[in-house]
Every structure is written in C-alpha cells, then in structure tokens.
Amino acid sequence: MTETELQPGLDRRQRQLLQQLAANDKSPALAEMAKELLAGRMKPADVLTSRAYDEVLGPGAEAFTSWYATTSEEEKEAAAEHGRAELVQLASDELAGVPDRPAEPAARAPEPEEDLSERTWSGDSW
C-alpha cells in the first residue's frame, strides 16, 4: 500500500491513541493535550513547538532516543515492518467501516504488595 492508502489507518491509530491519552487520569497534562488535539484547538506542530508539555513528553522522547541508539538496524526494520502491517490493517478497517476497537492499555508493572507484618493495628497508627 502507498502512503496515501495507509493514511486512513494512521488517522485511526492517532485518534485511538489520543482518546486513550484523553482518558488518562494519571497525567492531567497529557489528558488536556490530547483533548485539545482531538477538539482541533491545537495542532501536533503546536505541541512540538510549545514548551507547555515538555515535562510530560520529555521522558518518552528520551526513552525513544535511548531505544533507537541501542537497537540494531535489523530490529528497527522489524519494528517498522510490524508498524506498517498494523497500518495496513487499520486502513482496511477504516475503509470497510469497522468500528474502532478499544485501544489496549499499556502494560504496567505490578505494584508491590505492602508488607503488613510489622504493622500495629491500634487506633493510634491510623
């Protein structure tokens, strides 16, 4: 598929990701940014040229830069091919009128269980 033919898939994936970010209750700044983008009150270029979201976007940009610097060309090409295949599927879904599937949440590390073995349960410790 050409880049033009893949555009509906790219649009769909961007919309899904922005909707997921807009529902993010852990980062109000990212949620606000996504809502502004979805509503059309802000363009992606505005996000990149504004310093307003540096604090929340910086760690992701640094993580990507680190991944890119330490990843072999073969692994990069495999990741790119995986992305192209996903875009082909999304473009086909969009053109066929298949409704959006809910975006899968990012995998989270399990939260450590609190050690309650030394806890005093008297009323003073609450």
Side-chain angles (χ1 to χ4, degrees):
M1 291 185 109
T2 67
E3 211 169 297
T4 302
E5 293 170 316
L6 290 176
Q7 192 61 47
L10 184 58
D11 293 343
R12 176 178 274 222
R13 187 64 181 137
Q14 287 172 343
R15 185 176 60 250
Q16 289 172 340
L17 290 171
L18 287 172
Q19 288 168 341
Q20 187 177 5
L21 283 174
N24 180 350
D25 58 355
K26 297 211 183 282
S27 177
L30 276 178
E32 172 196 323
M33 179 196 69
K35 288 173 187 172
E36 293 294 309
L37 287 165
L38 284 167
R41 292 186 291 267
M42 179 181 276
K43 294 183 242 171
D46 298 334
V47 172
L48 297 175
T49 58
S50 165
R51 308 235 12 129
Y53 301 106
D54 283 357
E55 191 174 312
V56 293
L57 295 177
E62 289 173 12
F64 176 76
T65 301
S66 175
W67 172 84
Y68 195 84
T70 59
T71 302
S72 71
E73 291 303 315
E74 294 81 22
E75 290 172 303
K76 289 175 191 171
E77 184 53 40
E81 184 54 41
H82 177 76
R84 282 189 288 273
E86 186 174 316
L87 285 178
V88 167
Q89 182 61 54
L90 289 166
S92 298
D93 288 353
E94 185 73 11
L95 294 172
V98 175
D100 282 351
R101 292 183 299 270
E104 295 180 19
R108 292 178 39 180
E111 294 189 22
E113 290 186 29
E114 184 179 357
D115 180 7
L116 302 175
S117 61
E118 301 295 320
R119 174 79 185 233
T120 330
W121 292 98
S122 67
D124 318 349
S125 64
W126 299 29

